[in-house]
Amino acid sequence: MSTLWDTTGSDVVKALSAERRSAGALAFGLALTLVVVTDQQSVEEAEKAATAAAAAHPCRLLMVIRRHSDAPDPRLDAEILIGGRLGPGEAVVMRMYGRLALHAESVTLPLLAPDAPVVTWWHDEPPEKIAFDPLGIFADRRITDCGRCPDAMAALQQRAMDYAPGDTDLAWTRTTNWRSLIAAAFDSTSESPTSATVHGPTTPATALLVGWLRSRLGVDVDLSETRGNDINEVRVQLEGDRQLILRRNDSRTASLSLPDRGERIQPLSNRDLGDLLAEEVRRLDSDEVYADALSAWTGVEGLSDRSPFRTHIWRDPAQERAAEEPESDGDRARAGQAS
Amino acid sequence: MRERDTSPTNKLRDPRDRRLPRIPDPCALVVFGVTGDLARKKLIPAIYDLANRGLLPPGFMLLGFARRDFGNEDFSELARKAAEEHSRTPFRDEVWDRLSASIQFVQGSFDDDDAFDRLAQTLQDSERSHGIGGNAAFYLSIPPAAFPTVLKQMERTGMASNSDSGGWRRVVVEKPFGHDLKSSRELNGLVDSVFGADDVFRIDHYLGKETVQNLLALRFANTLFEPIWNANFVDSVQFTMAEDVGIGGRAAFYDSAGAARDVLQNHLLQLLALTAMEEPVSFDASALRIEKLKVLGAVSVPDDLERYAIRGQYEQGWLAGARVKGYTNEEGVPKDSNTETYAAVRLNVETRRWGGVPFYLRTGKRLPRRVTEIAVSFKKAPHLPFDATDTTELGHNQLVVRVQPDEGVTLRFGSKVPGSLMEVRDVSMDFLYGESFTEGSPEAYERLILDVLLGDQSLFPRNAEVEDSWRVIDPLEEFWADRKPEKYRAGEWGPKAADEMLARDGRRWRRP
């Protein structure tokens, strides 16, 4: 492990290759680069999840922590670990201060594993438009987490507006277990559904499950608001006033009742962030089923037809602040040069 | 592969949705000989792992059948222990509690009509109580000698019939699939007559291994290897399956079979088939089978068996720091046993692609370490524009598929040694499965049991393949019948004669 204070991007690249050589990991099979964007206060949580995901899918892990973007001088601190605290692979934790935070790609680009896919995950609130963040531009897969935004449902709507193939949201990953059980239940019944209701809190995950059922079944699917943090129950009306009910019992199991078959207990565990992230990085192509579900919930159409490529849109928080307070024009000039 | 009849009507299933796992129809798995070693070490843990991964259907039942005087609870306890000790995924009580609610035990011997009636009744009852429909798979984890009795019982009670049960009925058999062509034909005929040929799953657990399936991806998903995968470029191919263990508690079976029947006939010939076959038109079971059959049909045994079919038997020696007994001193083995614990043979594949390329196969017990690999050795470059001294350390280019352990692929080629002299030496480029995908690879049995329940035949050899493999082995066994095996010391890489066999061809065994 080496720690570099107030360093440069080139020194980080050199330190990484020196670490690799001394660890004897030159032939390390890198399947992908995972870029994690997070705030200082949630670093620990993000590190834990990324470590779990890296254990499942060996990758080069780049943690980008942006701090004090209004600090007067740009500064980079970096920590390089191989086979240490952050899992079996290589990890670089970078703290970027001042205006460097707006140009994080200048440090991360040379650190990407050669010709391997890049996944960027915003642990906290993602940029309003992914294109605002250069770390989202070069990524093949972009993972957001609407559930962590202050107004989660508005964020989900925004994800649909801003969607490009290759985007997914962890709210969608949270529905996988539910979806597997419901799909398996339908394997053993040939009855056609007429309508369905999802009982759960109004969260992006519930919304996406509703969206998925709408897009797949083509029938009315309602969201019935309940309290708690997690989806509670899915009830599908079948022909002839019969019902298929999947209800969560506790944090690990659910009961499934099918017409004429009685009730059965099925595993339905709450997964932690690491598991969710590991599921996300398993697939590196775009998830059209997610696009369909998102489209069905939000009403935004043609998601899969969009281009998977984005062009960076320069947006400077200092400039925006300056626009609100017309006094500080010096900053604007500097921002213009920096871009 | 038969299409699952439920999927087209299920609107929630979408081929693009690869997050959702394939889950079998509601069904029962009936294991005969459930208190045996295989069931405890492999089957029950695999079922637990499937449950833990959420891959068992909502209606599932595990029915154990054995002679031991057990109640449901005793069996549940045994199964729990087995799962705790041998499962791949972490043991979780709540998963087990749910699974154990669907475990039952039926006590009886194989010739006991009452016991089979009870079994049939239990299956029928659980159609409703456990919602398994009419579906059941029967796993015969029993000695082949008991097959006829058990199969007849199943026929008598109607358990084996798809139409009587109103669902599917499948049977899983383990090797040995007979001990020669004739006996395997009889066995196949018997099993196929009770169950339909499409409902018989013969387990060769090597085919469940990720690395073996990767062989197909390596060959047919890349442009890099297939153009040179033929006699123009390949010098020879070596298949090795070495074990460091002795015969354990299997003396009775092993002494009547020997290494060739135990390993060569099934695992190694299957590996050979996958390595040498032409590209299948698709990856479904029947297309794969067609190609494998073509290759197995083209395998020829050398005329000079004296020199190219070697067998050995281990003597006492030192292995991994401990003294181990010789084969004839193992418990249960006759002192004058002629059974081989090592077999090496040179085969040819008589096709345009492989004409003249020797395929060397070897397997043995009490070899220095446990390893299975396929090494494809390429021809030397026709002309080397270097001084002869520059390339003394340059060997054949080699592609090695490591089936186990250290699953992966190694490519060996020559590279210049740094310095002012032109000196070329072998280096290797390594792909290690565990480094690129550590995502828990399922155990072979986990994958295969799931495939049985899903009705996917691709990874199971069919009877014609088994019979064709015996056609290769029978002449060897006949030749060996009245000869003594060569001796080798435990902890050595086989008898000297095997090394001489390759030396005669100007080659040597790769040290794995």
Side-chain angles (χ1 to χ4, degrees), chain A residues 56-79:
Chain A
H57 306 270
C59 60
R60 183 176 287 176
L61 182 60
L62 305 178
M63 303 269 306
V64 175
I65 303 151
R66 291 166 162 142
R67 307 193 67 183
H68 315 298
S69 67
D70 48 357
D73 295 310
R75 173 183 152 134
L76 171 68
D77 294 338
E79 187 187 354

Side-chain angles (χ1 to χ4, degrees), chain B residues 421-460:
Chain B
L421 290 173
M422 175 50 89
E423 190 188 343
V424 183
R425 186 186 292 173
D426 282 343
V427 293
S428 49
M429 213 156 68
D430 230 5
F431 155 65
L432 244 175
Y433 241 76
E435 283 182 350
S436 295
F437 316 95
T438 36
E439 177 190 355
S441 299
E443 274 281 331
Y445 278 97
E446 218 175 313
R447 167 74 201 260
L448 294 174
I449 290 176
L450 183 63
D451 280 0
V452 169
L453 301 183
L454 287 166
D456 184 344
Q457 280 270 14
S458 340
L459 297 178
F460 299 84

Side-chain angles (χ1 to χ4, degrees), chain B residues 146-162:
Chain B
F147 278 18
T149 330
V150 170
L151 287 167
K152 291 224 173 76
Q153 290 281 16
M154 282 196 270
E155 200 172 23
R156 182 182 65 81
T157 50
M159 277 193 283
S161 157
N162 286 331

Side-chain angles (χ1 to χ4, degrees), chain A residues 18 65 67 74 93 179 257 300 313 337:
Chain A
I65 303 151
R67 307 193 67 183
V93 183
R179 297 193 305 117
S257 72
V300 182
I313 302 170
Q337 282 161 11

Side-chain angles (χ1 to χ4, degrees), chain B residues 40-42 45-46 49 81-89 443:
Chain B
R40 279 188 295 114
K41 287 192 181 142
K42 298 286 183 189
D49 287 330
K81 253 207 197 125
E84 260 177 330
E85 275 172 34
H86 301 288
S87 67
R88 176 179 66 89
T89 54
E443 274 281 331

Side-chain angles (χ1 to χ4, degrees), chain B residues 144 174-181 183-185 187 253 261 265 466 470:
Chain B
E174 279 274 346
K175 69 165 193 187
F177 311 121
H179 54 87
D180 58 15
L181 180 59
S183 62
S184 90
R185 273 213 183 118
L187 182 67
F253 162 74
R261 289 190 178 106
Q265 185 269 338
V466 173
W470 281 119

